[in-house]
Amino acid sequence: MLDSKTIEIVKSTVPVLQTHGVAITNAFYQNLFTNHPELLNIFNHANQRQGKQPTALANAVLAAAANIDRLEEIIPVVVQIGNKHRALNVLPEHYPIVGETLLGAIKEVLGDAATDDIIDAWAKAYGVIADAFIGVEAKMYDEAANQPGGWSGFRRFVVDRKERESDVITSFYLVPEDGAPIASYEPGQYITVRVKPEGQEYEHIRHYTLSSAPGQPYYRITVKREDATDHKPAGIVSTYLHNAAHVGSIIELSAPAGVFTLDQSKETPLVLLSGGVGLTPMVSMLETVLNNHPSRKVSYVHAAINGNVHAMKDYIASLENAHPQMKSYVCYESPAPGDTCDKTGYIDLPWLQQIVDKNSDFYLCGPIPFMRAMYQALRSWDVPADSIHYEVFGPAASLEN
Ligand code: HEM
């Protein structure tokens, strides 16, 4: 337990740290990677470059500090982040390194304003926050290792099959090299891939949502090739998977994780709303609900730029033909010659109002601008916030505004 003086100092300095939050975490990352370059094997370099990770970490530490005397209130956030940490194999011994570097960065940015009292108070608070994460994550490591087919850390898998789904999206079927069973998962969960492509100095880790229903002898991921654009370089892992990984290649995986999952206890109509490669959790949820809950009505609503980049088009059409309780709708932003779709342009509220039931549970996945537009459209239709389920790819962000 923290003493009341420490709590008071921490809470009263949250606003000033908030003002400098991003500067502090930028300094933090620079020092972290200078002093501990081995951590570049864990962190996503692209997120660092785009400044997303510094903001996410700053927000999380400050949110925790603001609630330091009632940390139980932020446990859901700790669980979501803890899932990512467990999947990345973040270990208890990493926490003191992060803590020391964070305090150093606070001193560096605040200068003389960071008195000994303030630094001491934040050191104690960080210890409490770190213990909360370490405790939650210890349970997750245990659960991951002790479930049937489970394991801790990374396990070697073999690419068993590679299937082209569109011009830019390919599915990979991954089976364990040891031939032993694999852990089950909830539809919507992801697995975490670790590879070291040729010519790269570090290992690279990415989370990919499992795109099929659980219960298969393989894990399927469905990956978009992130080509270089004017604004960002090509995706290291997606390029490796598309261009260099072949049937027989070895890829390391950590066990399935994630909190964005289908609530299978409900009988409400289900709307699965995705943009681009955001279809991956939706296909897993769709297969699951069709297999396990044939009386539940389900609408699969998908937005793509055009038919050339529309993944699993024929497969989804075949599911719709086989299951009368399912309806599929497609919206193309700018259809290519010969494309057919239900709507052109963007998915909007008037169209959604025509095709889906307001009293549904809505699951969203896609690029952040897409999800924000969908979330706000549904809220303006008075769909309750707790009927709208989503998880943002990469560092968490809010869709409210
Ligand atoms: C991701 C917070 C400690 C490594 C994250 C995220 C947050 C966060 C908010 C983003 C989650 C998301 O993607 O939704 C914290 C807090 C910590 C802490 C509050 C301390 C109390 C650590 C430690 C390590 C670590 C000790 C290991 C050295 C990572 C990595 C990611 C991550 C590698 C994924 C981000 C990326 O690569 O882009 N953490 N973290 N974190 N964290 Fe932590």
Side-chain angles (χ1 to χ4, degrees):
M1 255 319 266
L2 292 173
D3 57 273
S4 55
K5 183 169 168 237
T6 303
I7 292 174
E8 193 199 312
I9 295 178
V10 167
K11 289 184 128 184
S12 66
T13 47
V14 166
V16 70
L17 291 189
Q18 237 150 11
T19 323
H20 298 287
V22 172
I24 290 169
T25 40
N26 277 333
F28 161 77
Y29 278 110
Q30 209 158 30
N31 298 342
L32 188 70
F33 297 141
T34 305
N35 298 329
H36 296 277
E38 73 282 3
L39 293 181
L40 284 167
N41 287 308
I42 307 186
F43 281 87
N44 176 335
H45 306 204
N47 284 349
Q48 300 304 323
R49 262 196 307 273
Q50 292 162 24
K52 284 191 205 161
Q53 186 55 30
T55 318
L57 181 66
N59 288 343
V61 173
L62 292 171
N67 290 283
I68 192 71
D69 47 350
R70 42 195 158 89
L71 271 187
E72 60 287 354
E73 288 191 13
I74 61 154
I75 285 296
V77 182
V78 178
V79 168
Q80 188 188 337
I81 300 167
N83 263 273
K84 292 244 166 94
H85 283 162
R86 200 281 288 147
L88 293 158
N89 214 25
V90 170
L91 298 170
E93 57 264 34
H94 292 130
Y95 280 85
I97 300 175
V98 163
E100 216 172 278
T101 314
L102 189 60
L103 288 176
I106 293 177
K107 277 194 222 163
E108 192 178 312
V109 173
L110 295 192
D112 291 344
T115 62
D116 287 350
D117 278 357
I118 292 179
I119 293 298
D120 282 354
W122 275 87
K124 287 184 193 156
Y126 176 81
V128 170
I129 297 167
D131 283 348
F133 276 83
I134 291 168
V136 164
E137 289 162 19
K139 279 201 201 115
M140 292 175 175
Y141 280 106
D142 269 1
E143 278 166 20
N146 294 326
Q147 64 189 315
W151 69 99
S152 186
F154 284 88
R155 176 171 169 192
R156 284 162 65 89
F157 278 69
V158 185
V159 177
D160 188 49
R161 199 147 45 104
K162 206 172 155 179
E163 236 163 54
R164 187 181 180 280
E165 305 285 8
S166 81
D167 283 2
V168 290
I169 296 179
T170 293
S171 286
F172 297 81
Y173 293 74
L174 308 169
V175 297
E177 188 184 34
D178 58 21
I182 54 174
S184 190
Y185 55 90
E186 291 293 317
Q189 286 195 304
Y190 53 82
I191 48 165
T192 301
V193 171
R194 180 167 78 180
V195 292
K196 189 165 185 292
E198 213 181 306
Q200 289 291 328
E201 195 179 349
Y202 296 102
E203 290 173 328
H204 290 265
I205 303 183
R206 293 292 182 280
H207 310 289
Y208 291 107
T209 307
L210 291 153
S211 62
S212 57
Q216 308 292 344
Y218 53 77
Y219 293 133
R220 182 178 73 185
I221 55 174
T222 300
V223 178
K224 179 177 172 215
R225 194 184 62 234
E226 298 291 347
D227 294 329
T229 66
D230 290 347
H231 313 290
K232 57 179 172 66
I236 293 173
V237 180
S238 69
T239 308
Y240 166 81
L241 288 171
H242 276 257
N243 300 347
H246 298 296
V247 170
S249 297
I250 298 287
I251 286 171
E252 291 182 305
L253 301 182
S254 66
V259 294
F260 175 58
T261 56
L262 178 66
D263 182 347
Q264 295 189 55
S265 67
K266 289 200 164 171
E267 278 299 330
T268 46
L270 180 63
V271 178
L272 303 171
L273 197 45
S274 62
V277 75
L279 61 79
T280 51
M282 302 309 159
V283 175
S284 177
M285 292 180 187
L286 177 65
E287 290 181 0
T288 304
V289 80
L290 293 177
N291 291 341
N292 302 353
H293 308 277
S295 59
R296 192 168 183 190
K297 274 168 88 179
V298 50
S299 305
Y300 176 91
V301 186
H302 183 62
I305 293 175
N306 58 41
N308 299 330
V309 292
H310 176 183
M312 299 189 176
K313 185 170 31 182
D314 296 340
Y315 174 60
I316 296 293
S318 73
L319 289 179
E320 188 183 26
N321 282 337
H323 298 277
Q325 76 276 29
M326 169 189 166
K327 287 267 168 280
S328 158
Y329 303 92
V330 174
C331 173
Y332 287 148
E333 187 180 328
S334 38
D339 277 350
T340 53
C341 59
D342 302 294
K343 183 179 187 322
T344 55
Y346 294 115
I347 296 178
D348 54 24
L349 185 55
W351 187 57
L352 284 175
Q353 286 172 325
Q354 285 169 33
I355 60 173
V356 299
D357 183 335
K358 182 177 172 180
N359 298 313
S360 302
D361 268 279
F362 294 82
Y363 285 75
L364 317 181
C365 191
I368 290 177
F370 167 84
M371 292 215 289
R372 189 166 282 134
M374 295 302 97
Y375 182 85
Q376 291 176 1
L378 293 172
R379 291 293 289 132
S380 72
W381 191 16
D382 284 335
V383 174
D386 61 7
S387 300
I388 310 174
H389 314 273
Y390 62 89
E391 184 176 37
V392 174
F393 301 148
S398 165
L399 302 185
E400 296 281 353
N401 36 50

